[in-house]
Amino acid sequence: MSAIVTTLEQRIGRGATTQEFFVNMGPQHPSTHGVLRLVLKLEGETVKDVIPVLGYVHRGVEKMGEHLSYRQFVHLTDRLDYLSALANNWAVAKAVEKAAGIETNERIETIRTLVAELQRIASHQLWWGVFGMDLGAFTPFLYGFRDRERITDILEETIGARLTMNYIQPGGVMFDLHPDFQRKVKEFIAYFRPKLEEYETLLSRNIIAQERMRGVGVLEAAQAVALGATGPVLRASGVAHDLRKSEPYGVYGKVEFDVPVGARGDCWDRYWVRIEEIRQSLRIIEQLIENIPEGKHLLVKPAVRTKVPEGITYSQVETARGVFGVLLVSDGKDVPYRIHVRTPNFNNLWAITRIAPGWRVADLVTMISSLDIVVPDIDR
Amino acid sequence: MGLITEKLPALVEPVPGGSVLLSSLDAVINWARSNSLWPLTFGTSCCAIEVMMAAGAARHDLARFGAEVTRPSPRQADLLVVAGTIVRKMAPRLKLLYEQMAEPRYVIATGSCAISGGPFIYNNYSTVRGADEIIPVDVYVPGCPPRPEAFFYGILMLQKLIREGESLRTPGVRRKPVLAALPAGITIEQIQQELRELLEPQGGRR
Amino acid sequence: METHELISAVQALEPAAVPREKVDRAAVVAPVERFLELMARLRDEPDLRFDMLCTHTAIDWIAEARLELVYCLYSTVHRHYLVVSASVPREAAVMPSMQALWPIAEWQEREVYDLFGVRYTGHPDLRRILLDDDWQGFPLRKDYRDDFMLEGPK
């Protein structure tokens, strides 16, 4: 009458193994931030390999650029990395100004720096909210957007758009600052500083969030450099490469700020670097907002078809995601012969093929989110 | 829950011990359908930030219109919001997503890219000129990208459309698509005329 | 390093390299034959240390029937830039792959192949990256035409 107790393992059979199989993640998937498609090679729930498949929003911007004047091309860069639209505009403006020898004044550069930094904060707020959502917490999404709307309001008052700005153009900026700009930005800083502490309490100090980030998806410095990663992804791996410091443009050379650098290159470092960058951006804005120099905001005629002398110009700016570069090839006409955009996300994305193998699918979502990918910027 | 923007077309008869509500089944079903739209999370580019994320977030709050339950699976969704550019590589996938949705299904095309190709029409080898080249669209919401408020107007238009429809017996029948942009009575010709007057000096050429 | 120092440093490695005119930073044109060796030394020489391939693209000079392949290099150690370019004929565009030197080149080269039709020797996985696999033609070439494209209003 002795009942034999069995285990589940015996029921399944001792030698049972799992098979490797492929799973498509995307192009329509809530965690790929758009229409990125990842082909995953899985063994059970463990990721063996990640093969990104691109092009689901490839819009042929570079071909269109060969038919548009330089001023007309600016608005297409809005739609690449739409969360850093102003920085992207700036890259084109900088390239054309450098190539055609257009001078700008102190006021223009200050305005550009101010609005670009405001948008960097807005971009990181959105990333923070979405990152929280990808970790399974919905509240950060609401908090992040609540505060982002304040920046959107300030920018909308001056620029007239919430997302696709088309504001910084060769030779200046489209509109002068709204009379309320200074007051509202100061109000925003006073409002947002305590809120940033709230972010830290809500997510950074949350033990579950920390456990899901610390040590997950380590990208080593040498790997990051060889992959051409830039922005917070590179800095989290310990390389202090920030164009705002290394080759200052705008008025970055005149303000004090630190470049936060991570130690290990895991998801936590990427998280921490971005949160710290918000603080540094607030510092930059605080230093500039009191004394905006007087002057004209636009030194060329608004819709002028600038002629650019023959040659190649490469100019780049630091967006919220990394180095956005514009390679401009001119043959002396008012339309570029060829225009190439080097986008930060294209290079940052490939880090996923190096950091994901060995982790679970749920961690993969954390890693994608920690790279802060904007898909139209990858596909162009 | 949702803000019920229009009352259920019904007759309420007070009787001892309560009231009796008289309505047609069509009206009840349409009313219920229109107030609980479940959108599919489908955003390809910039519009996704405005109409999917900002619209659903704290300030704008899509939940007021009963459409906040975004579903990642097309099987569980009945509203496809085409938020962003559709390119030739994505087109077959969009059609597949649409076909996977159960009837009745509705489509809102937001932003100029999904309406006509937007800024990416000319000299472009890749961008499809409007989502309606691939799938039928019910409501167009213009903007580049549209504000969340504009998207809400589009949702309200769609709710009106659903309530007017006969979707119990023939759920697959399509009505004429509408443009959720201009108040009734204003035509595109009038706007063009106004623009012309604004741009050209009086007694100018023409 | 200053622009002229960089150019002479490159010329010390590859005598056939000539400075490229009309570029806003240090730029050289190198012959295709020994391109891979030159790039390997640019990456490894302690004075140069170009450890990041910033971007790689092509320019279609259709009048001269050649494709100019542009490599923009950056050194995170010395913080200097160098643009290296090489020309290949349009009709038989073949180039050695830089994938072994900078892993990111794998995908940048796939993009150039996709849009310009340059074939890279030694590339592990040369497929189209942005367009469908069955796409005909290379859209960023100047003479690309298809039925789908619309001419802009004049």
Side-chain angles (χ1 to χ4, degrees), chain C residues 94-121:
Chain C
V94 182
M95 191 70 189
S97 170
M98 300 296 141
Q99 186 262 338
L101 302 177
W102 296 280
I104 188 64
E106 180 180 341
W107 300 288
Q108 292 178 345
E109 284 167 359
R110 272 177 67 189
E111 187 192 311
V112 176
Y113 162 70
D114 192 356
L115 303 176
F116 287 93
V118 180
R119 279 171 173 74
Y120 291 89
T121 52

Side-chain angles (χ1 to χ4, degrees), chain B residues 157-170:
Chain B
M157 290 288 258
L158 182 68
Q159 291 183 338
K160 195 160 160 257
L161 222 90
I162 295 170
R163 276 195 290 267
E164 285 167 359
E166 226 189 324
S167 41
L168 179 62
R169 261 162 270 155
T170 47

Side-chain angles (χ1 to χ4, degrees), chain A residues 2 12 18-19 57 90-91 122 223 291 332-333:
Chain A
S2 63
I12 298 166
T18 49
Q19 250 185 333
V57 59
W90 199 349
Q223 266 182 336
N291 313 304
K333 297 206 187 78

Side-chain angles (χ1 to χ4, degrees), chain A residues 54 58-59 153 156 162, chain B residues 50 59 89 124 126 147:
Chain A
L54 311 182
H58 172 61
R59 300 184 278 199
D153 283 350
E156 192 186 5
R162 282 164 55 90
Chain B
E50 287 288 85
R59 181 188 287 184
K89 195 171 180 178
N124 194 308
S126 178
R147 303 173 60 91

Side-chain angles (χ1 to χ4, degrees), chain C residues 51-100:
Chain C
D51 50 3
M52 189 189 275
L53 178 59
C54 236
T55 189
H56 167 47
T57 188
I59 306 163
D60 182 11
W61 299 105
I62 189 165
E64 297 154 39
R66 67 187 174 95
L67 289 169
E68 185 179 6
L69 297 171
V70 181
Y71 297 81
C72 184
L73 304 176
Y74 177 67
S75 166
T76 53
V77 184
H78 302 297
R79 301 195 168 179
H80 50 211
Y81 286 90
L82 180 68
V83 178
V84 188
S85 67
S87 284
V88 290
R90 272 182 108 242
E91 296 315 314
V94 182
M95 191 70 189
S97 170
M98 300 296 141
Q99 186 262 338

Side-chain angles (χ1 to χ4, degrees), chain A residues 28 30 34 54-56 58-60 63-64 67 75-76 79 82 130 141-142 145 149 153 156 162-164 376, chain B residues 41 43 45-46 49-50 53-54 57 59-60 72 85 87 89-90 93 97 119-120 123-126 144-145 147:
Chain A
Q28 188 263 328
L54 311 182
Y56 291 100
H58 172 61
R59 300 184 278 199
K63 184 82 176 174
M64 291 179 72
H67 299 270
H75 90 284
L76 291 181
R79 287 155 183 81
Y82 37 76
V130 174
F141 175 72
L142 297 175
F145 265 87
E149 290 288 344
D153 283 350
E156 192 186 5
R162 282 164 55 90
L163 197 66
T164 47
Chain B
T41 47
S45 50
C46 347
I49 301 291
E50 287 288 85
M53 295 167 96
R59 181 188 287 184
H60 299 287
T85 324
V87 302
K89 195 171 180 178
M90 191 65 198
R93 277 83 182 175
L97 281 174
F120 303 100
N123 300 311
N124 194 308
Y125 52 85
S126 178
C144 193
R147 303 173 60 91

Side-chain angles (χ1 to χ4, degrees), chain B residues 5-44:
Chain B
T5 47
E6 236 169 81
K7 273 193 195 152
L8 177 64
L11 185 73
V12 182
E13 272 291 313
V15 292
S19 317
V20 173
L21 189 136
L22 271 175
S23 178
S24 73
L25 201 54
D26 259 0
V28 175
I29 287 177
N30 282 342
W31 170 80
R33 255 181 204 154
S34 66
N35 286 310
S36 84
L37 290 165
W38 287 16
L40 175 74
T41 47
F42 179 75
T44 59

